Amino acid sequence: MVEEAELRHLRRCVELAAEALADGDEPFGSVLAGADGTALAEDRNRVAGGDRTRHPEFALARWAAANLTPEERAAATVYTSGEHCPMCAAAHAWVGLGRIVYASSAGQLVSWLAELGAPAAPVRPLPIQEVAPGVVVEGPVPELAEQVRALHRRFYSAR
Ligand code: ZN
């Protein structure tokens, strides 16, 4: 169940994705919130410089490992505009982070990118729970997923 207060974090993720797009990057954004719901860190995609591992969920996992105790990590929630890829799902689980809430799913992204004629990714788009079965996952959120879809459409129509 995605609470109203959580939608605020998801909307921020979509804003961050739009910032990434405005900066010529792929539209993905994420927010890490502590147990009380306070946003602790946020990031967006930074792959345009050539390092294709610079996904926000990966950056937040590393930030959490450096800045939070294991207990704080387990109680934290990561909000994200698009479901974690396998690399980020693995990083999330390896550092012991808690729940994930996403606006749009990996399955949705695959179908949108296919429609847009985007090249196939080098990594299989597995659902988070196939990579990290212990992580509680919620999403997608339909009205926000539509916004994310529009950002991807803009990214690929600009190519
Ligand atoms: Zn990723």
Side-chain angles (χ1 to χ4, degrees):
M1 183 62 204
V2 180
E3 311 277 331
E4 177 56 33
E6 299 193 295
L7 289 176
R8 184 170 52 88
H9 290 313
L10 281 178
R11 287 190 202 105
R12 177 64 187 149
C13 294
V14 177
E15 273 178 25
L16 288 160
E19 283 176 22
L21 181 67
D23 200 32
D25 217 307
E26 295 175 4
F28 295 94
S30 311
V31 171
L32 170 64
D36 66 355
T38 306
L40 301 176
E42 61 180 35
D43 208 350
R44 46 91 162 171
N45 239 47
R46 299 180 187 279
V47 304
D51 180 352
R52 310 273 314 160
T53 70
R54 293 197 64 188
H55 297 182
E57 303 93 331
F58 196 19
L60 291 180
R62 302 187 96 173
W63 183 90
N67 294 283
L68 300 179
T69 65
E71 294 72 26
E72 288 169 334
R73 297 201 290 271
T77 299
V78 172
Y79 299 89
T80 190
S81 64
E83 182 173 6
H84 289 43
C85 75
M87 172 184 74
C88 296
H92 183 99
W94 278 122
V95 304
L97 278 164
R99 185 164 154 265
I100 292 173
V101 183
Y102 55 77
S104 60
S105 71
Q108 287 177 312
L109 181 64
V110 168
S111 64
W112 299 339
L113 295 188
E115 280 172 22
L116 293 166
V123 175
R124 189 173 295 183
L126 300 173
I128 291 166
Q129 287 185 319
E130 284 198 33
V131 178
V135 176
V136 175
V137 174
E138 298 191 57
V141 176
E143 68 271 25
L144 291 175
E146 259 325 294
Q147 295 177 26
V148 174
R149 181 184 193 172
L151 293 176
H152 285 290
R153 200 179 292 128
R154 276 171 49 202
F155 180 80
Y156 283 98
S157 63
R159 308 264 108 183

